[in-house]
Amino acid sequence: MSLTICLPDSSTRSFADGATGFDLAASISPRLAEAALAIRQNGVFMDLSAPLKDGAQVAILTAKDPETLDLVRHSTAHLLAQAVKGLFPKAKVGIGPVIEDGFYYDFQVDSFFTPEDLVSIEVEMKRLAGENQVLVREELARECAVKRFESQDEPFKIELAKGIPEGQILSGYRQGIFFDLCRGPHVPSTGRLKAFKLLNTAAAYWKGDEKNAQLCRIYGTAFHTQKELDEHLKRLEEARARDHRKLGKELGLFSFHPEAPASPFFHPKGTIIYNELLAYLRSLYARKGYQEVITPQALDVGLWKTSGHYEKYQENMYFTEVDDREYALKPMNCPTHCLIYGTERHSYRDLPIRYADFGRVHRYERSGVTQGLTRVRTFCQDDGHLMCTPEQMKTEISAFFGFLKEVYDTFGFEDVRVALSTRPEKRLGSDEIWDLSEKALAEALDEAGMVYHINPGEGAFYGPKIEFQVLDALKRPWQLGTLQVDYSMPARFGLIYVKPDGSEGTPVMLHRAILGSLERFIGILIEHCAGAFPTWLAPVQVAILPITDRAHAYAQKVREKAMDLGIRAELDLRNEKINAKIRNAQMQKIPYMLVIGDREAAEGTVSIRHRKSGDQGVQNLEACLESVHREILERQ
């Protein structure tokens, strides 16, 4: 028997029955056979060893195809597990998925792997890669898989296999004597894995549950070429230098303490940044028709049952009891804004109503996922809820897009990615309501000419949402702004407005945020600008550095004049040489340094240094301060 397949260029090729993707690649050219990593057959990503199907559309995939990078990383995770089992036979293997920029694999071991262990494991991985072991796909019944892992004393794999419905066929991959459950696909052989690096270890729990066994997680990354790996490692080094946790400590911005896990303490300098962000947003709210409100922290649990949070979100909430009455700390502001709206009777003429709330919210995050400012348990959002008629919805969404762009431009976030997240499994409201909501957001994005992708099932439980990701200075994506359409919550709270014909309608609620969590945004901004905040945000905007004691009196006057203009100025009167003072100001990333000696004191001038541009020469004091003041006011 023979079979015929169709290539992407519409040409066809015929083979004997049983031919594989490798046979196809080899028939085209030896070079392609050497470069091929996998195939796409009738749109399905498959192993190069997969048999070809008669009449199928088949494409050969190489390193030039984006999806093959995850293929390499997943195969490298298997290589890692094989190396660990060879060096540490008593280690029990967990799971090893691909993640953004790399992969990890979990192991249960008597003592966690040391940095020296990682070096040994990486050496063993390179040895195994050099053997060019073939990865062989095997299919077996669930019962056979359980017995196989029982014979190997792999409890986590036994649990995974038993979790599959009885009678179902499982797939796995064998390389040498190592076998692992996996759907695949994988690279043809270990020799295709040429550029990888183990990065670090961390504690983890089996299936992410703190009640389960603690595991040691090894993180790594892999690329097609050593050049790509080297470039990535260089970016990681830069990222470590920009780590907001490191810079936050060095710049005296915030700290964390075990008395309040995953809850930041903002120091005076960090609080300046925090408050400047609030002031900036408030200045925009005044122009864009928002009304700021303040709402309580703890509310009766009945409120959260009405809103749907108790049913759909309670595992992320904190509860307490006072006077035999159960309360919850608010994880979101939206139900409290429903209560405010409901205190008055509204006409269609009153809408839209735009509430803004900088209220603190509390959400339980497992200790294993909290991370610096970017994942905390208590935070403030630049939260807003818009009550509007269905007819006003598109106008409000369009205005929000403009608002968001203005803010992101201020911070230099020019590359913004957009996603539309659709209905999750756990949700409120009918399918008809979700159809309306998703359609409204998609049409608004289309009309705005925005390029976006769909995140299926990633919407909030009360409505679909648009998510905005910005790329920082290292081209890393961070999710900031969101916009959600919600028909359900206003109905659950019985909110109404009077229509032009005198009948009653239910308003649509738009949930929106631009920066998102202020804590998280500050962490992202620290890394984006490497701690060198724009002058308007810098905790100290000007450092006044007298060279000698004789200049102290004039330096005091310079500080007073700066403070009169609202410039945050710091005076360094330490008995240190001027180079040491400049170096300290540079380390603290203060935008401007005003160096003052006898000549400057006599002439009413200052010698200006900028943290980035260096020496700016001598300038009249008033002109210098006015220039800095203008830069601050314009939020350059």
Side-chain angles (χ1 to χ4, degrees):
M1 294 179 64
S2 64
L3 56 87
T4 301
I5 60 94
C6 183
L7 295 170
D9 63 0
S10 299
S11 64
T12 61
R13 286 183 181 255
S14 297
F15 297 91
D17 193 32
T20 67
F22 180 79
D23 295 324
L24 171 61
S27 74
I28 297 173
S29 78
R31 180 175 294 181
L32 181 59
E34 185 178 336
L37 293 170
I39 63 171
R40 189 186 300 110
Q41 183 165 212
N42 291 334
V44 179
F45 196 22
M46 304 178 77
D47 293 311
L48 194 63
S49 61
L52 300 175
K53 299 177 181 178
D54 188 36
Q57 299 280 336
V58 183
I60 302 293
L61 303 180
T62 68
K64 295 179 180 179
D65 297 285
E67 58 262 62
T68 60
L69 182 56
D70 279 355
L71 179 84
V72 165
R73 288 172 174 170
H74 195 184
S75 298
T76 309
H78 278 232
L79 185 69
L80 165 60
Q82 182 185 12
V84 168
K85 288 296 291 184
L87 295 175
F88 304 89
K90 293 183 179 179
K92 308 303 179 188
V93 294
I95 59 172
V98 172
I99 57 174
E100 187 175 359
D101 287 337
F103 59 88
Y104 70 77
Y105 213 113
D106 290 340
F107 304 92
Q108 187 179 43
V109 287
D110 292 335
S111 58
F112 272 30
F113 297 117
T114 65
E116 292 75 21
D117 291 333
L118 293 192
V119 172
S120 299
I121 294 167
E122 194 173 303
V123 169
E124 177 66 4
M125 290 170 67
K126 290 178 180 177
R127 186 188 71 80
L128 293 169
E131 291 184 353
N132 199 27
Q133 297 179 2
V134 175
L135 275 78
V136 180
R137 180 182 175 89
E138 297 183 7
E139 294 186 349
L140 63 170
R142 189 197 76 159
E143 293 74 14
C144 294
V146 170
K147 288 180 181 179
R148 187 166 187 168
F149 288 121
E150 285 176 342
S151 69
Q152 297 173 359
D153 190 23
E154 292 288 359
F156 304 115
K157 296 298 182 181
I158 294 170
E159 183 179 335
L160 291 175
K162 285 184 175 180
I164 303 298
E166 188 174 354
Q168 185 167 323
I169 299 298
L170 308 182
S171 63
Y173 285 78
R174 175 172 51 81
Q175 53 201 67
I177 62 171
F178 178 74
F179 176 80
D180 202 356
L181 285 178
C182 189
R183 294 190 185 93
H186 280 281
V187 297
S189 64
T190 60
R192 302 299 185 96
L193 308 175
K194 301 180 183 301
F196 50 81
K197 181 70 178 174
L198 299 185
L199 302 173
N200 60 281
T201 62
Y205 292 96
W206 175 239
K207 295 185 175 180
D209 191 335
E210 296 173 12
K211 297 176 183 178
N212 290 337
Q214 189 177 55
L215 308 175
C216 180
R217 177 169 294 175
I218 298 179
Y219 285 98
T221 191
F223 287 85
H224 292 296
T225 66
Q226 188 63 40
K227 180 182 177 183
E228 292 171 309
L229 175 61
D230 290 342
E231 290 172 350
H232 177 73
L233 295 177
K234 184 178 179 181
R235 287 193 298 270
L236 287 182
E237 190 63 35
E238 175 65 17
R240 279 191 285 272
R242 291 170 175 258
D243 190 316
H244 74 278
R245 294 164 295 185
K246 171 179 174 288
L247 290 173
K249 182 177 182 180
E250 292 174 356
L251 300 177
L253 304 180
F254 60 86
S255 60
F256 287 87
H257 301 274
E259 291 79 1
S263 302
F265 290 67
F266 280 93
H267 297 199
K269 288 182 178 179
T271 302
I272 288 172
I273 297 169
Y274 203 98
N275 287 334
E276 283 291 343
L277 289 173
L278 294 180
Y280 169 57
L281 291 167
R282 284 186 170 118
S283 71
L284 296 177
Y285 285 160
R287 287 198 283 112
K288 297 181 183 296
Y290 282 79
Q291 304 172 69
E292 190 175 342
V293 298
I294 300 173
T295 52
Q297 293 289 299
L299 299 104
D300 187 282
V301 75
L303 174 81
W304 307 107
K305 291 180 179 179
T306 300
S307 68
H309 288 83
Y310 191 86
E311 177 189 356
K312 305 292 185 182
Y313 200 75
Q314 65 171 292
E315 67 271 14
N316 301 106
M317 296 172 65
Y318 291 98
F319 296 90
T320 187
E321 192 171 294
V322 180
D323 296 333
D324 297 323
R325 189 175 177 187
E326 191 176 11
Y327 291 82
L329 296 180
K330 65 177 178 181
M332 300 178 190
N333 294 304
C334 33
T336 62
H337 295 182
C338 289
L339 293 182
I340 291 176
Y341 180 91
T343 59
E344 298 179 45
R345 185 172 176 82
H346 298 281
S347 161
Y348 70 94
R349 294 188 182 90
D350 302 324
L351 303 184
I353 292 175
R354 307 180 187 97
Y355 295 128
D357 194 336
F358 293 114
R360 182 154 296 279
V361 296
H362 305 264
R363 299 178 187 175
Y364 172 68
E365 298 279 6
R366 290 175 176 169
S367 57
V369 300
T370 57
Q371 184 178 24
L373 293 179
T374 57
R375 197 78 178 264
V376 293
R377 291 177 175 172
T378 177
F379 56 92
C380 166
Q381 287 181 306
D382 62 328
D383 209 359
H385 293 94
L386 285 57
M387 303 292 189
C388 64
T389 68
E391 295 77 18
Q392 294 169 331
M393 189 162 51
K394 280 189 179 180
T395 301
E396 289 301 303
I397 292 174
S398 177
F400 170 73
F401 291 161
F403 190 174
L404 180 135
K405 185 179 186 306
E406 180 178 350
V407 173
Y408 289 178
D409 285 350
T410 298
F411 294 102
F413 292 126
E414 298 175 352
D415 196 341
V416 183
R417 298 174 179 175
V418 185
L420 174 57
S421 296
T422 58
R423 67 195 75 185
E425 286 188 22
K426 291 173 63 176
R427 60 182 183 266
L428 299 175
S430 66
D431 287 343
E432 290 78 15
I433 290 297
W434 279 88
D435 289 342
L436 279 174
S437 303
E438 290 171 357
K439 181 181 179 184
L441 290 181
E443 287 180 351
L445 288 168
D446 291 337
E447 290 177 12
M450 290 190 178
V451 177
Y452 63 95
H453 67 275
I454 304 293
N455 283 337
E458 294 297 317
F461 69 85
Y462 46 78
K465 61 182 175 180
I466 301 173
E467 296 176 307
F468 298 88
Q469 278 190 342
V470 300
L471 298 188
D472 68 9
L474 297 183
K475 302 303 180 184
R476 298 171 300 180
W478 298 94
Q479 196 260 304
L480 293 182
T482 58
L483 177 71
Q484 300 155 20
V485 173
D486 184 358
Y487 283 88
S488 296
M489 203 172 297
R492 291 171 76 95
F493 278 91
L495 305 185
I496 61 170
Y497 69 96
V498 179
K499 296 181 177 180
D501 63 3
S503 64
E504 292 181 345
T506 301
V508 180
M509 178 187 252
L510 301 180
H511 307 244
R512 47 107 292 183
I514 295 177
L515 303 183
S517 155
L518 261 69
E519 282 76 1
R520 186 169 181 273
F521 181 77
I522 290 172
I524 292 167
L525 189 61
I526 290 171
E527 299 197 6
H528 178 57
C529 64
F533 295 101
T535 304
W536 69 274
L537 261 183
V540 179
Q541 295 161 327
V542 170
I544 302 166
L545 312 177
I547 298 174
T548 66
D549 292 352
R550 294 185 300 277
H552 281 190
Y554 177 62
Q556 292 279 10
K557 291 181 180 179
V558 171
R559 183 175 186 271
E560 289 169 7
K561 286 182 176 291
M563 299 288 280
D564 287 344
L565 287 172
I567 298 171
R568 293 186 288 274
E570 189 174 81
L571 178 57
D572 188 347
L573 297 177
R574 294 176 303 150
N575 185 25
E576 294 280 358
K577 292 183 178 179
I578 190 61
N579 286 342
K581 292 182 179 183
I582 291 172
R583 185 167 58 252
N584 179 71
Q586 199 79 40
M587 293 286 289
Q588 288 297 302
K589 303 183 186 292
I590 298 171
Y592 289 97
M593 291 152 268
L594 307 185
V595 180
I596 297 170
D598 292 339
R599 179 181 172 184
E600 287 80 8
E603 297 177 355
T605 61
V606 289
S607 180
I608 307 169
R609 289 187 65 86
H610 188 269
R611 66 183 170 201
K612 183 177 180 181
S613 308
D615 186 6
Q616 304 293 293
V618 177
Q619 190 173 2
N620 173 272
L621 173 60
E622 282 70 21
C624 168
L625 294 181
E626 181 56 38
S627 175
V628 173
H629 186 231
R630 184 168 58 252
E631 182 179 331
I632 293 168
L633 290 179
E634 294 175 358
R635 293 191 173 92
Q636 296 177 10

